[in-house]
Amino acid sequence: MKRGDMEARYNFKEIEPKWQRRWEADELYKVAEDEGKPKFYCLEMFPYPSGNLHMGHVRNYSIGDVVARYKRMRGFNVLHPMGWDAFGLPAENAAIKHGIHPAEWTWNNIANMRRQLMAMGISYDWEREIATCHPNYYKWTQWLFLQMYKHGLAYRKKAAVNWCPSCATVLANEQVVGGACERCGTPVTHRDLEQWFFRITAYAERLLQDLKKLPGWPEKVKVMQENWIGRSEGAEVVFTVAGSGQEIPVFTTRPDTLFGVTYMVLAPEHPLVEELTRGTPYEGPVREFVEAARHLSALDRTATEKEKEGLFIGAYAVNPVNGQKIPIWIANYVLMEYGTGAVMGVPAHDERDLAFARKYGLPVKVVIRPPEGELDAATMAEAYVEPGIMVDSGPFSGLPSEEGKERIIRYLEEKGIGKRRVNYKLRDWLISRQRYWGAPIPIIYCDQCGTVPVPEEDLPVILPEGVEFKPTGESPLKDCPDFVNTTCPACGKPARRETDTMDTFVCSSWYFLRYTSPHSREVPFERDKVDYWMNVDQYIGGVEHAILHLMYARFFTKALYDFGLVGVEEPFQNLLTQGMVLKDGGKMSKSKGNVVSPEDIIERYGADTARLFILFAAPPERDLEWSDHGVEGCYRFLNRVWRLVYNYSGKVRGVEAGQGEIKLGSRADRELYRLIHATIKKVTEDIEERFNFNTAISAIMEMVNGFYHYQDNVPEGEQNLPLVKMGLKNLVTLLAPFAPHIAEEMWQGIGEEGSVHLESWPTYDPQALKTEEVTIVVQINGKVRDRLQVPAGLREEDLKEAVLSRDKIASLLSGQQVLKVVVVPDKLVNIATRQGG
RNA sequence: GCGAGAGUGGCGGAACAGGCAGACGCCCGAGACUUAAAAUCUCGUGGACCGUUUGGUCCGUGCGGGUUCGAGUCCCGCCUCUCGCACCA
């Protein structure tokens, strides 16, 4: 049974692979720079090649493909690439567990996932595919590291790393869950090692400020980054140790409370702690306290309401503004990494300080009083943290505290005992990983010359293949003499290579640039190409990367801008964070046994159905509840579209669908015509303005329903074939970004040439949307009481007249006094009444 | 605790600018086709009530107030859930 080229039955198993092959052979999605067209860079976060696509990927890439295909049809030159975030821990775990080499494991996974992605029919330019574990890629990751080093943005210092005593290995931050080892649950401790860092803190202010330049980002993500950067304004005040005069700078956001300081607290790790207690009776207990704090610090972080523990260390500090002597304590809640590692205690005006002071019987001194009322230091149960009037503060007494802040800062600067300071929570980015499966850090250590960067012409520093994976706690590269032993590029003497590899987030911080010239052997990316394509017009991915990946990529882009390598300061113009795919109200998980495999769905219903369902079930930003019945419904819908097109395919082949000059004889014709144009409008706006693919698809469903209505109710001889043809063309075109294979097949089925994906996106005729008649709702006191049909555009007075003259309304109004009549033309009339009159 | 978002039928979700609440889909029900079933098609489907039918009345968007001719939508006060941050001086 054939009609034209179309089979009676929708056979996705045949048509999907067929069109995928055709697209590839025709290089339909291959793209090059073209100054004649506006460009559009559409990017989805590239996946870690875990081995199999999951529903989150399907969602991510289906959303991206709608955008890419739509923009292409709108005449944009669209870059839509895909690649692999291919370095990382699971590859090594697989090596330890199954004895398979990480490289082999990774490349196998990539091959499988590429096959799965291709089966989804996503419109990628596969010639631009990249994998971060390929030497041609990580050569440039290393090169970029060297640029960072050259510009002083990469440096080495001693730092604590996460250490699992049971596995005897170093852990990445992502492997520490709730202060314990992800694999064995043993509490994680810290070890001090020499580590490489990127100086992201140098960009803290710009990373914060430039968030304002990103109106196309979700507010949520920007707020998360803002919190992460954690800017706070205040002052650094230099206290001195009583007697010795050693300086202890503290950071405070409340310089106005400086006269209320009654004690000082140092972080247990503060270098002065040992110095001040050495040889005193306090030495022993303090050391014990410090040891305990260090030990606990990993778990400490996650404890919700940790009791504040402190200890007096036997020394005193001098408050520089009033010369007062105050005791120095150490406490577990003071962090060495933030500020200066020392805090001034103002119990009257800080919640924590008050709790601490009350617990240890430290004095409380009020220096800010509320605009009305007094505070009693002895009895106050809550710290007064609001602004107020300064009291008991020497020359500053009587000032409003906000003004006092400024005045005290100026005073500190004049006297040289402090200065204005802005502080950030953001820390430098530790990029060293004591791991094998990553890009080697291109550094050589020479006994004579010290730390020497690998010369650029020697890149890449190849990751050697023959290594053993033992849980020694050090990079497996350490046991690979051929790798470690080298000669110093500066003096030629024997030297050792750095054996740590880079955090995988380094690799993913610049991959969007590489896509613009993925095969270049001379440079990481060609300047003219990167200038043509950047920045990414639409970036799409999970919100779990809201901070790390997105912040690092922004940092890289800014640094590369400063190095003169790129012309943009922000990588991603617009960001869409998609919600999770849930099942039974929760995450799909192996332990629950409710994982739905994309491959199974594609096998049973085809890629078009899978894509359609996942786009239809919820708007992209919201979480999506997976429903097998829902998938079934989408499959039914595609079959329904297929049958409609099939029924007409023989009749409309060869019929010209001249958009403008279609004769609309009957009312049914006019209704269908209107429906077609209303659908074009709705679908266009839903995609363009709001990414509401769910409502766009429901509009297409309504169009199909309307089409069936026409088919079933207009006698065959009276059906307007040019109109039908025009409608079917539009229907197929509108469906193309969502269900690309079936659209292509139907396009051919109605006798059209070429690929539907090369067609222009349809435009609607605003005239067509105007109806001749409109339904007016009549309300009395806000309740719907009647409806009437009137010609569209009826004037207010006429409409009012028409409504009030209706028998039904008149009878409803009898015995009522009309207070007011509100008329909304073409929509509604509301009559406000009162009993009686 | 702080910040962000969300609460609408049996379910997923619509309602874009304050104007017919529940589009579209699922589930469920009835009918058509069929020897039968599946598939498909058509119709119905928020709740309560009234009416012999056409139809009609009342209630209804987490809760309580308010503004308005009119509130899912705006304002005030609460409740619940999700996510993120959480001793940051």
Side-chain angles (χ1 to χ4, degrees):
Chain A
M1 274 271 279
K2 280 205 159 191
R3 199 174 290 178
D5 258 346
M6 269 181 98
E7 299 271 353
R9 196 172 69 87
Y10 167 44
N11 185 353
F12 65 86
K13 279 207 169 147
E14 205 170 289
I15 67 178
E16 290 187 351
K18 178 178 94 184
W19 288 108
Q20 284 156 17
R21 281 194 298 271
R22 179 77 68 81
W23 295 335
E24 202 178 345
D26 293 350
E27 300 186 325
L28 207 62
Y29 308 121
K30 193 177 162 183
V31 68
E33 298 70 37
D34 177 353
E35 292 299 339
K37 278 186 181 176
K39 69 93 186 178
F40 192 90
Y41 189 172
C42 178
L43 184 66
E44 299 111 53
M45 291 179 184
F46 66 166
Y48 177 77
S50 58
N52 282 293
L53 238 45
H54 56 66
M55 281 301 169
H57 293 127
V58 173
R59 190 174 195 195
N60 195 170
Y61 307 139
S62 297
I63 293 167
D65 202 38
V66 172
V67 175
R69 287 180 186 275
Y70 170 77
K71 286 290 176 184
R72 228 178 259 124
M73 293 172 94
R74 289 301 294 253
F76 286 86
N77 192 32
V78 175
L79 174 57
H80 190 213
M82 181 41 69
W84 311 98
D85 188 12
F87 274 135
L89 288 160
E92 251 169 290
N93 290 340
I96 293 165
K97 212 166 153 189
H98 307 296
I100 178 168
H101 193 276
E104 195 190 341
W105 186 82
T106 302
W107 289 111
N108 285 345
N109 287 350
I110 287 176
N112 192 47
M113 286 176 77
R114 185 194 297 116
R115 181 185 59 75
Q116 292 174 331
L117 267 182
M118 285 178 158
M120 282 186 57
I122 314 276
S123 62
Y124 294 127
D125 179 354
W126 281 105
E127 282 185 32
R128 291 175 186 263
E129 179 181 1
I130 56 173
T132 58
C133 66
H134 195 286
N136 281 345
Y137 185 92
Y138 71 68
K139 167 181 180 176
W140 298 110
T141 305
Q142 292 170 338
W143 186 86
L144 289 167
F145 172 92
L146 294 179
Q147 307 313 304
M148 292 283 189
Y149 182 76
K150 249 200 252 173
H151 289 87
L153 293 177
Y155 68 96
R156 205 160 102 106
K157 73 169 183 200
K158 203 161 222 180
V161 295
N162 301 306
W163 172 260
C164 173
S166 162
C167 303
T169 184
V170 164
L171 302 176
N173 291 332
E174 312 86 71
Q175 278 185 306
V176 183
V177 180
C181 173
E182 169 196 57
R183 236 183 304 169
C184 66
T186 309
V188 169
T189 60
H190 286 152
R191 284 200 159 187
D192 288 324
L193 293 176
E194 289 282 335
Q195 307 274 300
W196 282 94
F197 289 84
F198 281 157
R199 205 180 299 278
I200 191 171
T201 52
Y203 285 77
E205 191 60 31
R206 277 164 74 188
L207 288 168
L208 180 69
Q209 291 307 323
D210 288 356
L211 288 173
K212 295 188 192 117
K213 296 183 190 162
L214 300 172
W217 279 40
E219 206 52 41
K220 174 170 64 164
V221 174
K222 288 191 278 189
V223 168
M224 282 164 77
Q225 293 211 354
E226 227 176 280
N227 291 342
W228 187 261
I229 294 167
R231 182 185 202 274
S232 52
E233 286 180 20
E236 188 171 302
V237 187
V238 183
F239 285 66
T240 47
V241 176
S244 72
Q246 286 150 300
E247 295 188 341
I248 312 179
V250 303
F251 174 72
T252 177
T253 55
R254 297 293 305 272
D256 52 318
T257 63
L258 207 40
F259 285 83
V261 176
T262 56
Y263 63 97
M264 163 164 308
V265 194
L266 304 181
E269 304 90 339
H270 197 286
L272 270 180
V273 172
E274 214 203 313
E275 213 178 313
L276 293 175
T277 53
R278 197 179 301 131
T280 73
Y282 294 91
E283 184 172 6
V286 165
R287 184 167 295 160
E288 241 169 70
F289 184 93
V290 170
E291 272 312 305
R294 273 178 68 92
H295 223 76
L296 275 173
S297 61
L299 291 165
D300 203 17
R301 282 286 174 87
T302 53
T304 357
E305 283 277 314
K306 183 81 188 164
E307 181 72 359
K308 287 160 188 44
E309 302 284 349
L311 190 65
F312 177 52
I313 65 167
Y316 292 85
V318 177
N319 186 338
V321 294
N322 58 9
Q324 203 175 353
K325 232 173 94 176
I326 50 171
I328 302 177
W329 287 61
I330 52 175
N332 55 0
Y333 73 92
V334 177
L335 309 170
M336 192 58 220
E337 308 90 79
Y338 183 78
T340 62
V343 176
M344 62 187 215
V346 188
H349 307 294
D350 181 283
E351 221 45 83
R352 267 168 324 172
D353 292 350
L354 186 66
F356 192 78
R358 292 281 190 245
K359 177 167 179 182
Y360 293 105
L362 290 157
V364 177
K365 182 185 173 192
V366 172
V367 288
I368 311 282
R369 119 180 120 68
E372 269 137 60
E374 292 293 324
L375 293 173
D376 180 7
T379 59
M380 61 196 293
E382 276 186 356
Y384 180 74
V385 297
E386 312 296 319
I389 309 297
M390 295 174 68
V391 294
D392 214 352
S393 297
F396 303 96
S397 298
L399 283 177
S401 59
E402 287 303 310
E403 193 188 331
K405 257 183 203 172
E406 280 303 306
R407 296 274 290 271
I408 290 197
I409 291 172
R410 263 182 282 147
Y411 174 82
L412 293 170
E413 288 182 333
E414 278 162 25
K415 296 274 174 186
I417 51 176
K419 55 177 193 270
R420 183 182 305 279
R421 176 165 163 184
V422 175
N423 209 35
Y424 301 90
K425 282 196 243 177
L426 184 70
R427 317 274 159 77
D428 276 341
W429 173 13
L430 195 167
I431 60 153
S432 297
R433 294 291 179 273
Q434 293 71 35
R435 289 279 153 186
Y436 167 74
W437 194 234
I441 295 173
I443 288 288
I444 290 167
Y445 302 107
C446 169
D447 288 337
Q448 301 233 313
C449 312
T451 301
V452 183
V454 172
E456 289 179 15
E457 57 273 20
D458 292 350
L459 296 180
V461 176
I462 293 281
L463 194 60
E465 294 248 327
V467 296
E468 277 203 67
F469 299 97
K470 290 181 292 190
T472 60
E474 287 179 330
S475 167
L477 291 175
K478 276 228 157 123
D479 296 328
C480 188
D482 290 351
F483 178 83
V484 175
N485 298 321
T486 185
T487 51
C488 172
C491 68
K493 294 229 174 79
R496 303 170 320 280
R497 283 190 192 280
E498 167 69 61
T499 56
D500 286 352
T501 55
M502 284 186 245
D503 180 5
T504 56
F505 278 114
V506 178
C507 307
S508 58
S509 289
W510 71 281
Y511 77 108
F512 44 92
L513 301 171
R514 183 66 179 174
Y515 279 136
T516 64
S517 41
H519 308 298
S520 176
R521 292 188 168 264
E522 310 307 317
V523 286
F525 39 83
E526 288 163 32
R527 185 61 199 262
D528 54 334
K529 300 211 162 127
V530 104
D531 282 349
Y532 176 84
W533 289 113
M534 283 300 283
N535 37 22
V536 174
D537 294 277
Q538 185 63 58
Y539 198 31
I540 306 160
V543 73
E544 66 273 18
H545 296 107
I547 296 176
L548 297 181
H549 164 60
L550 290 170
M551 182 92 83
Y552 295 149
R554 294 182 62 219
F555 161 60
F556 253 68
T557 304
K558 286 179 193 305
L560 298 187
Y561 174 85
D562 290 350
F563 304 164
L565 294 171
V566 298
V568 294
E569 288 195 71
E570 283 291 338
F572 313 123
Q573 197 61 52
N574 295 289
L575 174 69
L576 176 68
T577 51
Q578 102 240 3
M580 284 189 299
V581 180
L582 309 176
K583 182 81 194 290
D584 315 317
K587 237 178 165 167
M588 288 186 187
S589 71
K590 271 187 206 154
S591 57
K592 276 197 232 155
N594 62 357
V595 177
V596 180
S597 137
E599 211 159 1
D600 291 351
I601 297 297
I602 290 172
E603 169 71 21
R604 279 181 71 176
Y605 301 102
D608 283 339
T609 296
R611 296 169 54 135
L612 198 71
F613 168 71
I614 218 157
L615 294 165
F616 177 64
E621 282 175 295
R622 255 204 252 176
D623 286 348
L624 179 154
E625 174 70 23
W626 182 266
S627 153
D628 292 331
H629 284 304
V631 178
E632 203 94 41
C634 286
Y635 182 61
R636 265 206 291 273
F637 168 69
L638 287 182
N639 275 285
R640 196 168 144 78
V641 180
W642 179 273
R643 272 193 313 277
L644 176 75
V645 174
Y646 170 75
N647 289 341
Y648 277 120
S649 65
K651 290 178 228 164
V652 299
R653 287 181 150 261
V655 172
E656 274 300 319
Q659 283 243 23
E661 63 270 19
I662 293 172
K663 276 200 192 131
L664 303 172
S666 64
R667 187 190 177 89
D669 279 7
R670 288 195 299 275
E671 274 172 14
L672 181 59
Y673 185 77
R674 186 179 174 283
L675 174 65
I676 293 163
H677 284 271
T679 308
I680 296 171
K681 179 174 195 280
K682 172 80 175 146
V683 174
T684 306
E685 287 173 356
D686 281 351
I687 297 178
E688 183 80 39
E689 291 162 23
R690 317 191 295 156
F691 293 119
N692 277 7
F693 307 129
N694 55 332
T695 49
I697 292 167
S698 70
I700 298 174
M701 288 171 168
E702 284 179 80
M703 183 183 185
V704 171
N705 291 344
F707 239 120
Y708 267 99
H709 194 76
Y710 184 87
Q711 187 193 42
D712 296 344
N713 290 289
V714 179
E716 226 181 300
E718 293 169 27
Q719 293 190 4
N720 185 335
L721 289 182
L723 172 65
V724 167
K725 176 68 178 276
M726 182 277 279
L728 291 178
K729 275 182 74 172
N730 279 312
L731 168 63
V732 171
T733 314
L734 293 176
L735 193 59
F738 304 99
H741 310 88
I742 192 175
E744 197 77 297
E745 187 73 16
M746 293 189 301
W747 186 251
Q748 189 181 290
I750 57 172
E752 293 301 305
E753 303 280 322
S755 169
V756 66
H757 302 294
L758 298 175
E759 286 296 302
S760 289
W761 188 255
T763 52
Y764 66 92
D765 171 12
Q767 284 301 315
L769 301 180
K770 290 192 181 148
T771 47
E772 297 146 50
E773 283 203 318
V774 289
T775 306
I776 301 295
V777 169
V778 184
Q779 299 179 333
I780 295 173
N781 296 326
K783 296 197 170 170
V784 180
R785 285 291 179 262
D786 195 14
R787 285 183 179 101
L788 69 155
Q789 294 290 121
V790 301
L794 197 63
R795 289 180 16 223
E796 254 185 62
E797 307 88 273
D798 298 337
L799 182 53
K800 185 170 167 182
E801 177 61 37
V803 166
L804 293 176
S805 66
R806 279 172 76 86
D807 293 346
K808 185 167 180 186
I809 297 302
S811 72
L812 283 165
L813 289 178
S814 70
Q816 314 260 324
Q817 185 193 352
V818 174
L819 296 174
K820 190 173 177 182
V821 180
V822 179
V823 181
V824 183
D826 287 349
K827 271 209 175 119
L828 145 158
V829 174
N830 190 11
I831 306 163
T833 70
R834 185 168 67 191
Q835 214 36 252

